Amino acid sequence: MQTFISQFTSRFFSIAVLALLIAAAFASGNVVNAQSSPAQSINEAVIRKVLMDNAAGFERNDLAMLNRVWANDESVTVFESGHANYGWADYRDHHLVPEMADFKNTKYTLTDIRPRIAGNTAWATYKYTLTADFKGRKVDASGLGTAILEQRDGRWQIVHSHTSAARRPAPAATAPKPAKPKE
């Protein structure tokens, strides 16, 4: 009888642990529901398009397009080059519009866009390159970015953007000057 109880307890414990592991996998999102997979792919494609439209709007100096892809309210935050903008009006009026006015021959390209979605919130990482003529000099920048989007009234809109330019190589080290001989 003791052997039966021991085997039963061991099997029950194994089944309970397996059930907990399966539940944890579903809760963490590591198991994808096959039925939601096509919708997920469609939303990921839409998020990529929103980010590409943002880049195209900037490149073309198209404020109407940018108004469509950004949330037009105080929830917007933008962090770029150590500077912060809070709210769409602040970003649009004090950063975006002046920058677009100063940039000529602008090319802004996004690659390696990797969206993730959780309910009505999505985030994406990407790589960017930017070239433009700016007040007589050539801008040639590249780096990494993160965008956060919210689905509002059936549309994905950007509510946060953070870009970081690639580190510039350190200047070549100069050889130390030889010490003067003591006299």
Side-chain angles (χ1 to χ4, degrees), residues 68-139:
R68 284 191 300 273
V69 298
W70 283 86
N72 298 158
D73 60 29
E74 291 303 309
S75 69
V76 168
T77 55
V78 177
F79 299 151
E80 182 182 315
S81 301
H83 181 75
N85 291 104
Y86 298 101
W88 172 244
D90 176 44
Y91 175 57
R92 179 194 62 217
D93 299 343
H94 301 113
H95 183 133
L96 192 58
V97 169
E99 192 170 67
M100 289 190 311
D102 287 341
F103 281 11
K104 307 296 180 224
N105 304 313
T106 305
K107 294 303 275 178
Y108 186 43
T109 307
L110 303 184
T111 59
D112 198 20
I113 301 171
R114 297 178 183 211
R116 304 288 186 271
I117 302 167
N120 288 331
T121 304
W123 58 98
T125 58
Y126 55 89
K127 296 176 182 175
Y128 73 88
T129 57
L130 170 67
T131 59
D133 297 324
F134 177 71
K135 297 183 178 180
R137 66 179 179 91
K138 187 77 171 166
V139 173

Side-chain angles (χ1 to χ4, degrees), residues 142-169:
S142 64
L144 304 173
T146 303
I148 299 174
L149 299 88
E150 290 180 357
Q151 192 172 36
R152 299 176 176 185
D153 300 322
R155 293 184 321 137
W156 286 101
Q157 296 178 309
I158 303 168
V159 294
H160 177 75
S161 174
H162 184 172
T163 55
S164 298
R167 290 185 180 152
R168 298 187 194 279

